[in-house]
Amino acid sequence: MEYYTLGRSGLRASRLALGTMTFGTESGWGCDRATARALFDRYLDAGGNFIDTADVYSGGTSETWLGEFIAESGTRDRVVLATKFTHNFANTGADPNAAGNGRKHIIRALEASLKRLKTDHVDLYLLHTWDRLTPVEEVLRTLDDLVRQGKVRHAGLSDVPAWYAARAQTMAELRGWETPCALQLEYSLLGRGIEYEFPALCQDRGMGLMVWSPLASGMLSGKYRPGLSAAAQTIDGRLKASAKASAPALQKMTERNWGIVAELERVAGELGRPMAQVAVNWVANRPAVASVILGATSLAQLDDTLPALDFDLPAELEARLDRASALPAAFPYAFIDVMTARMHGGANVGAKPARYFDLPQTRRGGWG
Ligand SMILES: NC(=O)c1ccc[n+]([C@@H]2O[C@H](COP(=O)([O-])OP(=O)(O)OC[C@H]3O[C@@H](n4cnc5c(N)ncnc54)[C@H](OP(=O)(O)O)[C@@H]3O)[C@@H](O)[C@H]2O)c1
């Protein structure tokens, strides 16, 4: 297992993290306690140290089990423990301050998470989702207070717009507050929308990109039948189980996506590797990616993906996957590309000499 310092921090985290959104059966697509424990043990045995959860996962069960596993295995110091606040899993509508990113909720959420996790601190505390309401100063000051109190070691953001992350990072830096060192976002061969803005932002501002849903909720494992809707699939899995509840905007089984899955299948076949490994390898080696969070509902699935970084994806195969899943050119970047030659009066200013600024931290996954 390889480790990275997470963004511009001193926190050493493994490149493959363990996701625990599947710990618990409340969602209808998770796993039982014995399986969760087996996943936890296997991940640590493989050398991993970075475990991601959230207060909302399985209505608190994920944090509760994880707290028990860590206590029983005596691994609290070794584990880099990440959790998140924002959502109200009771969802009764009775108390608007029992959710969101306001100070009142953040402090209450952390106290509840620490209790479930049976610890006095978390190593990375992330805002889970932008609430569109709370001033960024309030979020940052609260996180900074929690770091100073010793209850949080590092701060991070998840599921926020790029402008918000840039504003938060810059403001924290200028005011001397704890700067977010991680940005957790959805990223896979089927979901490359973050590429327009986020990798450059992460590299410029010193945030490590933590990838969620690297297999697009299992679709990139290749187990679903092409051409069928999620509800019509015959194999069990999250995409089928959540087909009715899933919003149309989050629908993954589209014609475009089946084309990408088909190319992944061909590439994986040529490499002699499972599709899931190739999908994880591809995303782990994208610019600014620090860690890829693996999700599983069985030990066999984790065993399938854990060796994902044990091989190099040949450049020509990587290029084929890039082409099959490429995003359309978009303004302003496509326009700036076209105009770049005119900006320097025809002189070649853009190209940098080889190894220019090639410090260890500036390689893939680090900051630039
Ligand atoms: N910040 C956020 O908003 C956010 C959002 C989502 C997730 N996350 C984090 O990211 C982690 C990973 O996300 P994810 O679970 O969506 O990741 P994912 O890799 O896209 O999906 C994992 C699911 O794919 C299926 N799968 C995994 N490996 C497989 C294999 N080898 N063969 C066949 N099927 C396989 C399993 O589901 P089935 O068995 O049901 O098919 C598994 O639960 C979560 O645990 C959580 O920690 C964060």
Side-chain angles (χ1 to χ4, degrees), residues 2 4 14-17 187-189 195 209-212 214-215 276-294 305-311 313 318 363-366:
E2 285 182 341
Y4 262 100
S14 37
R15 285 184 74 197
L16 296 178
Y187 193 15
S188 75
L189 278 163
E195 285 182 8
L209 198 48
M210 293 173 71
V211 170
W212 64 259
L215 298 181
Q277 279 183 23
V278 179
V280 170
N281 185 300
W282 178 87
V283 79
N285 286 298
R286 304 299 295 171
V289 170
S291 270
V292 178
I293 315 175
L294 303 179
T305 46
L306 266 178
L309 304 184
D310 293 356
F311 63 97
L313 189 56
E318 185 181 10
R363 304 217 181 94
R364 280 173 166 172

Side-chain angles (χ1 to χ4, degrees), residues 2-81:
E2 285 182 341
Y3 304 90
Y4 262 100
T5 49
L6 195 57
R8 203 173 284 148
S9 81
L11 186 66
R12 280 82 160 159
S14 37
R15 285 184 74 197
L16 296 178
L18 179 67
T20 62
M21 193 173 70
T22 48
F23 285 18
T25 50
E26 289 82 349
S27 60
W29 40 259
C31 63
D32 61 21
R33 194 180 186 283
T35 306
R37 179 61 200 259
L39 293 169
F40 172 86
D41 289 339
R42 178 64 52 89
Y43 173 73
L44 290 186
D45 286 349
N49 74 345
F50 196 11
I51 304 190
D52 181 73
T53 185
D55 55 359
V56 73
Y57 291 164
S58 304
T61 302
S62 172
E63 283 189 337
T64 301
W65 288 357
L66 190 53
E68 290 165 2
F69 300 163
I70 291 172
E72 287 160 14
S73 59
T75 48
R76 179 62 196 94
D77 284 339
R78 191 189 139 192
V79 164
V80 173
L81 181 57

Side-chain angles (χ1 to χ4, degrees), residues 164-226:
Y164 180 94
R167 181 168 155 75
Q169 236 282 350
T170 307
M171 184 181 293
E173 199 172 310
L174 292 176
R175 299 225 172 140
W177 296 336
E178 181 65 25
T179 49
C181 64
L183 200 44
Q184 190 176 125
L185 299 165
E186 181 179 21
Y187 193 15
S188 75
L189 278 163
L190 300 190
R192 295 178 58 180
I194 67 157
E195 285 182 8
Y196 291 116
E197 301 258 281
F198 285 95
L201 162 67
C202 286
Q203 289 182 325
D204 184 67
R205 302 308 325 145
M207 287 182 280
L209 198 48
M210 293 173 71
V211 170
W212 64 259
S213 282
L215 298 181
S217 303
M219 187 160 163
L220 289 166
S221 70
K223 68 181 171 187
Y224 292 107
R225 223 166 103 213

